[in-house]
Amino acid sequence: MSKKKKLNKKIRDSYGTITLKELEEKGLVPKNFHLFDRIDMNEYQLKHKTDWWMRMR
């Protein structure tokens, strides 16, 4: 594996992952969020907007 690929893999793996089921259990998204239609999802996201991109730095 090349150095660049190894570095990219290391960066990619440094961010943790979480499943939708885990988000539902923590109460961060409503139950059956995956069944929402596009309009309902956009409405939900606008109501619960965060500054997550600032915390990722």
Side-chain angles (χ1 to χ4, degrees):
M1 195 181 285
S2 70
K3 290 180 185 179
K4 185 175 180 181
K5 285 183 181 179
K6 286 180 185 178
L7 181 61
N8 286 340
K9 183 177 170 78
K10 185 177 178 182
I11 291 170
R12 209 174 37 248
D13 291 342
S14 69
Y15 296 106
T17 59
I18 189 166
T19 63
L20 182 59
K21 185 176 181 180
E22 291 170 341
L23 289 172
E24 287 177 349
E25 289 171 357
K26 289 183 178 182
L28 298 175
V29 295
K31 291 284 184 190
N32 298 322
F33 186 70
H34 64 286
L35 298 176
F36 283 17
D37 64 0
R38 185 180 176 124
I39 295 169
D40 291 336
M41 280 191 185
N42 286 338
E43 188 176 305
Y44 176 82
Q45 289 170 349
L46 287 174
K47 286 182 183 176
H48 298 88
K49 220 178 210 182
T50 63
D51 59 346
W52 64 268
W53 59 90
M54 296 298 264
R55 293 183 304 216
M56 297 305 277
R57 292 181 178 184

